[in-house]
Amino acid sequence: MIMEIIKNYTGGMLKDPISGAYIDNYEPATGQIYSKIPQSSEADVEEAVVAAKKAFDGWSGLTPEERAAWLEKIAAAIEARMDIFVNAESRDNGKPVKLAAKVDIPRAVSNFRFYARATTQYASESHHFPGKVINYTLRQPLGVVGCISPWNLPLYLFSWKIAPALAAGNTVVAKPSEITPYTAFLLSQVCMDIGLPPGVLNIIHGLGNEAGSAIVGHPDVKAISFTGGTRTGQSIARIAAPMFKKMSLELGGKNPNIIFADCNYEKMLQTTIQSSFANQGQICLCGSRIFVERPLYEQFKADFVRKVSQLKTGDPVDDKNQLGAVVSQAHKEKILSYIELAKQEGGTILTGGYPIYPEGRCRDGWFIAPTVIEGLSFDCRTNQEEIFGPVVTIMPFDTEEEVLLYANSVPYGLAAVLWTENLSRAHRMAELIEAGIVWVNCWLLRDLRTPFGGVKQSGVGREGGFEALDFFTEPKNVCIQYG
Ligand code: NAD
C-alpha cells in the first residue's frame, strides 16, 4: 500500500511541516495506518499567520459578491468531487459511506453556499434621531482568525467555521482534528485547483496542544472559533481570554430525549434510533439520555431494544450496515470503560455492551454494538458525563417536573429532543429545558439561519445564520450630528 502524505496548505501552497515530523493517520474500520499527517509546530503556524496577514487587505477589499463567488466556486468544486470526498470521510472517520454521502459532504457544500448567499444579504444597523443625529454601524472583518474543529463531523464542522469567516472578509488559519485530517487536505487541493488567492485560507495539520494552541496563542489571530470537548474549550479560554480574543466555543453535550406517552409513537421510535446511534452516537446532538413517561415505558423498552438489536454494525462501505466504526482505539476504550462503569453503577445492559470484530478486512477495526442500558439513577456518572458513543440509557418518569429535573441535572446544555402531541406542554417544556436547541417531534432538522450553540458547559456564543457573521466581524458605531 502506498502511504499517502498529507500536507499543510499555507500561502496557497502544499507544504511539509518545518520540523519534518509526521503523525500516523488510522482507518478506524481496519485499525491500520493509511496516511501520515504533518505534526506542525509554532513555526508552521507562524508561516500561515504571515500568509493570512498578507492576504487580508486583498480579500477584505473584495465586495461581498466577489467573496461569495469564491465560496460558490469552492462549493461547486467539492460537489464535483463528491464521491472522492464521501469515501475519504468514511475511511478517515469510520462512519458509513451512506451517511457521509447523505449528511457530511452535502452539508459542507451547503455551508459554503449558505454563507456565499448570507454575506450578500448581511446588513448593519443605523440609529437615527430625525433632523439631528444619525448613528450607523460598520461591520468590519477582524483580520486573521483561527478555526479549530473536531473529528466527529470533519468537513461539515470545519466548513461551518471557515465559510462564515471567509464570507465576512477575514483570512483564516484553520486546523482540522488530527484524527480526521483527510477531507481538510482535499479541501486545500480544491482551493488550489480553483485558484483561491494565496493565504486567504491556510490549513495547518497537527496536534491540539502543539499546532492548535499555537493558533490560539498567536497574537495576530484575532478570534478563535472552536468546536470540540469542554476541557479543550477551557484550555483555549485560558489562553485566549487574557489576550481579549473573541471566542466562539461549541463544546460537549449530554442531551436528553424526553418522550411523553401521547407522542406519535412510530415517528418517535424511528427518530429515536437515529438520535441515539447515528454516526455511532458520535454527534454532539445525539440524545443519549432517554426519559420515557411511565405508561409508555415497557412498550418503548421492548420495541426500542428489539429494533436496536437488529441494527447492523460493520464495514462502513457496506450499505447494509447502519453503524460503522468508532473513531479511534482510545475512543473505543473510553466508551467500553463507560459501559463497565454503568454496570458498576447498577445498570442493566438490555442490548449491546460489547466490541464487535467483523469478519474480513475489518476484523481489527474499532466497532461497538449499539448499547441500551436501564436501571441507572439520573445523577450517576454514566448519566452525567459525555460518553460520545453508541450508548444510551433509558429511564421512566411520571411528571413534567420530575423529567425537567433529570434533563437539567447535567453540567451540559447543548440540545434536547421532546416528543409530545400536546402543544401547550411542548411550549412549556421548551421554555424550561436548559439547552441551546430544543427539537420538538423531530431531531437534527437544521435550518442554517438559526442560532446554533449551547448553554452551561456546552459552550459560549452561537454559530449559524447572521450570528456567525456577527462573530466574525467587529461592530464600529459612527455617530454624525448634522442638525
Ligand atoms: P477535542 O477537544 O479533543 O479536539 C477538538 C479540536 O481541538 C481538535 O482539532 C484538536 O486537535 C484541537 N485541540 C485539542 N487540544 C487543543 C488545545 N489545547 N488548543 C487548541 N486546540 C486543541 O475534541 P474531539 O475529541 O475532537 O471532539 C469530540 C468533542 O467535540 C465532544 O466533546 C463533542 O461533544 C464535541 N462536539 C461539540 C459540537 C458542538 O457543536 N457543540 C459539535 C461536535 C463535537
Side-chain angles (χ1 to χ4, degrees):
M1 191 176 63
I2 299 164
M3 189 68 67
E4 186 138 13
I5 310 288
I6 288 174
K7 305 219 171 196
N8 289 329
Y9 171 59
T10 306
M13 287 183 290
L14 294 181
K15 296 212 169 148
D16 293 311
I18 291 166
S19 69
Y22 284 85
I23 316 165
D24 293 334
N25 185 30
Y26 290 84
E27 178 176 5
T30 61
Q32 305 300 314
I33 298 165
Y34 80 103
S35 59
K36 299 265 180 198
I37 73 164
Q39 184 177 346
S40 305
S41 62
E42 230 173 85
D44 301 285
V45 170
E46 176 62 28
E47 206 175 73
V49 174
V50 167
K53 277 174 75 176
K54 204 165 146 205
F56 178 71
D57 283 350
W59 183 251
S60 59
L62 296 181
T63 64
E65 285 76 10
E66 287 167 331
R67 284 199 296 270
W70 280 113
L71 296 194
E72 292 277 5
K73 273 194 205 172
I74 296 175
I78 297 172
E79 217 166 25
R81 298 159 176 77
M82 184 58 79
D83 282 353
I84 295 171
F85 271 90
V86 163
N87 288 311
E89 200 70 297
S90 166
R91 185 173 196 195
D92 214 20
N93 172 278
K95 66 179 69 207
V97 168
K98 64 181 175 191
L99 183 68
K102 190 167 166 230
V103 176
D104 292 75
I105 308 305
R107 172 60 192 276
V109 170
S110 299
N111 289 341
F112 283 109
R113 281 222 167 104
F114 176 84
Y115 277 106
R117 291 166 191 166
T119 189
T120 65
Q121 307 298 313
Y122 187 49
S124 61
E125 314 88 79
S126 84
H127 301 83
H128 188 198
F129 283 110
K132 290 194 172 66
V133 179
I134 185 158
N135 288 270
Y136 63 86
T137 306
L138 296 175
R139 284 257 164 207
Q140 295 173 305
L142 305 172
V144 179
V145 298
C147 299
I148 301 177
S149 60
W151 49 257
N152 64 324
L153 299 165
L155 192 65
Y156 172 137
L157 291 175
F158 198 53
S159 54
W160 185 229
K161 301 180 175 307
I162 290 170
L166 292 178
N170 304 284
T171 52
V172 174
V173 177
K175 193 190 91 60
S177 169
E178 62 275 27
I179 300 171
T180 53
Y182 206 90
T183 46
F185 177 51
L186 291 178
L187 177 65
S188 49
Q189 293 172 334
V190 156
C191 293
M192 291 174 73
D193 289 352
I194 64 164
L196 187 72
V200 166
L201 172 62
N202 304 276
I203 299 176
I204 295 292
H205 295 272
L207 300 173
N209 57 10
E210 281 181 81
S213 54
I215 295 172
V216 174
H218 197 294
D220 292 332
V221 173
K222 301 297 177 198
I224 298 295
S225 175
F226 168 77
T227 299
T230 295
R231 273 228 192 112
T232 314
Q234 286 166 340
S235 323
I236 288 175
R238 265 196 291 276
I239 298 174
M243 298 175 86
F244 305 110
K245 294 190 184 199
K246 276 184 122 177
M247 270 182 286
S248 167
L249 305 175
E250 301 292 339
L251 310 176
K254 186 76 177 176
N255 308 309
N257 178 0
I258 302 171
I259 299 167
F260 284 93
D262 69 352
C263 67
N264 175 335
Y265 187 73
E266 285 310 316
K267 184 178 177 205
M268 176 279 296
L269 195 59
Q270 204 47 46
T271 310
T272 295
I273 300 281
Q274 291 302 317
S275 65
S276 302
F277 299 114
N279 205 35
Q280 299 72 250
Q282 302 166 133
I283 300 182
C284 53
L285 306 164
C286 280
S288 54
R289 296 178 297 144
I290 303 176
F291 302 115
V292 187
E293 205 179 4
R294 198 173 303 274
L296 194 64
Y297 186 77
E298 289 303 327
Q299 183 191 349
F300 171 80
K301 176 176 148 181
D303 290 340
F304 185 61
V305 167
R306 180 174 38 80
K307 276 183 178 286
V308 173
S309 59
Q310 288 163 356
L311 292 173
K312 291 196 163 46
T313 303
D315 195 339
V317 304
D318 184 342
D319 278 353
K320 286 200 296 297
N321 294 322
Q322 285 91 15
L323 280 81
V326 300
V327 79
S328 67
Q329 172 87 44
H331 194 53
K332 176 183 165 185
E333 279 160 17
K334 175 189 156 183
I335 296 165
L336 291 173
S337 78
Y338 269 102
I339 294 172
E340 280 312 307
L341 174 70
K343 290 184 203 160
Q344 286 162 21
E345 290 184 317
T348 305
I349 311 291
L350 300 175
T351 182
Y354 48 83
I356 290 180
Y357 302 96
E359 300 266 288
R361 81 169 195 112
C362 294
R363 66 185 169 275
D364 296 323
W366 304 314
F367 297 85
I368 297 179
T371 301
V372 181
I373 305 171
E374 79 164 348
L376 291 169
S377 68
F378 75 92
D379 55 356
C380 68
R381 279 185 57 205
T382 309
N383 271 329
Q384 292 285 313
E385 297 175 16
E386 187 182 45
I387 301 174
F388 213 56
V391 180
V392 296
T393 62
I394 63 172
M395 189 186 306
F397 69 89
D398 291 296
T399 65
E400 282 180 27
E401 293 70 31
E402 182 190 0
V403 77
L404 271 171
L405 169 75
Y406 294 170
N408 291 341
S409 66
V410 293
Y412 299 104
L414 185 53
V417 193
L418 186 57
W419 292 94
T420 177
E421 292 294 300
N422 179 329
L423 187 63
S424 304
R425 173 154 61 201
H427 286 298
R428 201 163 50 234
M429 295 283 293
E431 237 176 75
L432 295 171
I433 291 173
E434 293 168 358
I437 303 153
V438 179
W439 276 294
V440 181
N441 299 333
C442 58
W443 178 69
L444 209 59
L445 198 56
R446 292 281 293 116
D447 178 331
L448 302 189
R449 294 170 300 179
T450 58
F452 179 92
V455 300
K456 296 159 61 178
Q457 291 188 22
S458 288
V460 178
R462 291 292 179 275
E463 298 186 307
F466 292 142
E467 300 262 354
L469 296 180
D470 285 348
F471 174 75
F472 283 118
T473 54
E474 194 74 79
K476 181 193 286 171
N477 190 67
V478 181
C479 174
I480 301 169
Q481 188 178 45
Y482 63 91

